[in-house]
Amino acid sequence: MTRPVLYMPRAFATSEGRLDGYQLTGPDRTGRDGEVRAMAVAGTGKVDAAVMDRFPALEIIAKFGVGYDSIDVAAAQARGIVVTNTPDVLTEEVADFALGLLIATSRQLPQADAYLRAGHWPQKPYPLTFSLRGRKIGLLGLGRIGQAIAERLTAMKLEVAYCTRRPRDLPYAHYPDALALAEACDALVVIVPGGAETAGLVDAAVIEALGRQGILVNVARGTVVDEAALIAALSTGKLGAAGLDVFEYEPQVPQALIDLPNTVLLPHVGSATEVTRRAMGDRVLDNLDAWFGSGKVPDRVA
Ligand code: NDP
């Protein structure tokens, strides 16, 4: 049996031998577009109707990641193309990371590290920072990762509240919209999917509602937060600090965010560990193998 042609824009980690069943192609190799039956995609690069039309034999797009807002799902459905993602295998890793970013942002861990390395400590102790003690943490999104973050926050003896479209049967206070949540909380952790539905959900009013000592952490997608409003609030002291793993036009990061002392900025590395990236790669291959085997894919999102 001929092996299906799999288009992979760049190599990603999978266990030994997992790619053996496929003929690999990608942007660096030309002339196979018409034979491509499967596509594995990573990152935030757009897979839109024009891309799909370049591959007339395409049957399945397998996203290496849980967020699939970079894929035009309606265009895929219109062409009968299946779309899959990699849920669950990164949940705990990303939750650990979100907690790390929240603590790093409030306690200014990277700034304090830079202070020590620059040799300032012998002259003057590092200034005092924000505390998470006694503060209420809002989660915008309480899905797989949001719940894992909530469990960690509870273990840290912090009060948790959340906003989702549908309230969950969980022991945290639910708020109907992002503004009401921000008004009730001291810090907001954003962990909703990206895409048109959530674009700009965290706007100037939400950001300012967190207040002068407020903290915003975004581990979701850059599009969810109004970046210009965030820069304005951080620059004028209307928001205390922000920890960001994702950006509106990543990998481009506004110089204004880089220049601010009250930001912790990371290059979209929420799931970026060897073990988790390998598990994600394996999950991509589980979906592709299932499609070309039984035709029933475990992680079908469209
Ligand atoms: P889930 O689908 O399990 O959870 C999504 C949550 O968002 C649900 O609670 C959902 O509740 C809520 N939600 C969706 N739309 C809205 C809305 N308009 N307003 C309020 N709440 C909303 O996803 P995961 O927890 O697995 O992942 C979440 C996202 O995190 C991913 O889509 C991805 O973009 C991002 N991510 C980022 C990573 C990184 O490296 N920084 C790594 C992994 C994920 P309801 O439907 O009731 O509204």
Side-chain angles (χ1 to χ4, degrees):
M1 211 179 83
T2 52
R3 294 175 299 156
V5 178
L6 167 61
Y7 183 96
M8 279 181 31
R10 63 184 162 96
F12 51 71
T14 60
S15 299
E16 192 80 12
R18 287 299 309 259
L19 290 164
D20 288 353
Y22 299 88
Q23 301 177 58
L24 299 184
T25 185
D28 49 332
R29 295 172 237 183
T30 52
R32 305 204 74 151
D33 292 1
E35 296 170 50
V36 168
R37 294 175 65 194
M39 183 181 278
V41 294
T44 51
K46 292 269 168 275
V47 183
D48 56 15
V51 172
M52 293 174 205
D53 288 342
R54 242 184 73 199
F55 302 94
L58 190 60
E59 298 167 32
I60 179 167
I61 300 170
K63 177 71 202 286
F64 177 80
V66 69
Y68 53 90
D69 48 298
S70 60
I71 301 167
D72 185 338
V73 167
Q77 278 171 328
R79 288 159 181 75
I81 299 169
V82 168
V83 179
T84 62
N85 67 346
T86 62
D88 307 322
V89 290
L90 45 59
T91 296
E92 304 299 332
E93 192 79 81
V94 178
D96 290 349
F97 173 83
L99 255 291
L101 185 52
L102 176 64
I103 296 170
T105 305
S106 63
R107 299 295 307 274
Q108 301 181 0
L109 300 187
Q111 294 94 323
D113 175 278
Y115 185 88
L116 178 152
R117 288 172 198 269
H120 298 319
W121 189 13
Q123 280 81 52
K124 205 162 66 149
Y126 190 77
L128 303 181
T129 60
F130 295 129
S131 176
L132 291 175
R133 292 298 97 209
R135 302 185 97 195
K136 189 159 150 185
I137 316 297
L139 295 175
L140 182 55
L142 197 71
R144 289 169 291 246
I145 301 171
Q147 277 182 62
I149 296 171
E151 286 160 14
R152 284 158 173 76
L153 291 169
T154 305
M156 284 173 67
K157 302 184 170 63
L158 293 168
E159 193 180 344
V160 174
Y162 72 103
C163 164
T164 52
R165 291 165 301 181
R166 291 167 292 264
R168 308 285 311 261
D169 188 17
L170 288 164
Y172 315 115
H174 178 260
Y175 289 83
D177 59 70
L179 182 57
L181 179 67
E183 281 168 347
C185 291
D186 307 292
L188 186 67
V189 179
V190 183
I191 188 67
V192 287
E197 181 110 14
T198 57
L201 208 55
V202 179
D203 59 13
V206 172
I207 293 166
E208 289 175 25
L210 291 169
R212 303 184 73 79
Q213 304 229 327
I215 290 162
L216 178 73
V217 167
N218 188 6
V219 286
R221 286 291 181 264
T223 51
V224 184
V225 175
D226 181 338
E227 219 163 61
L230 176 63
I231 291 166
L234 286 166
S235 312
T236 54
K238 287 182 178 159
L239 177 70
L244 309 171
D245 185 43
V246 287
F247 303 87
E248 199 169 354
Y249 301 107
E250 61 187 58
Q252 305 308 323
V253 177
Q255 191 59 41
L257 279 177
I258 293 171
D259 290 342
L260 281 164
N262 49 351
T263 55
V264 175
L265 308 174
L266 298 169
H268 201 152
V269 287
S271 67
T273 65
E274 237 174 89
V275 66
T276 293
R277 286 287 169 87
R278 189 169 312 109
M280 290 162 62
D282 284 344
R283 193 83 171 223
V284 167
L285 269 297
D286 290 345
N287 282 295
L288 294 178
D289 291 351
W291 176 250
F292 292 109
S294 66
K296 289 201 187 93
V297 284
D299 304 314
R300 185 172 185 158
V301 293

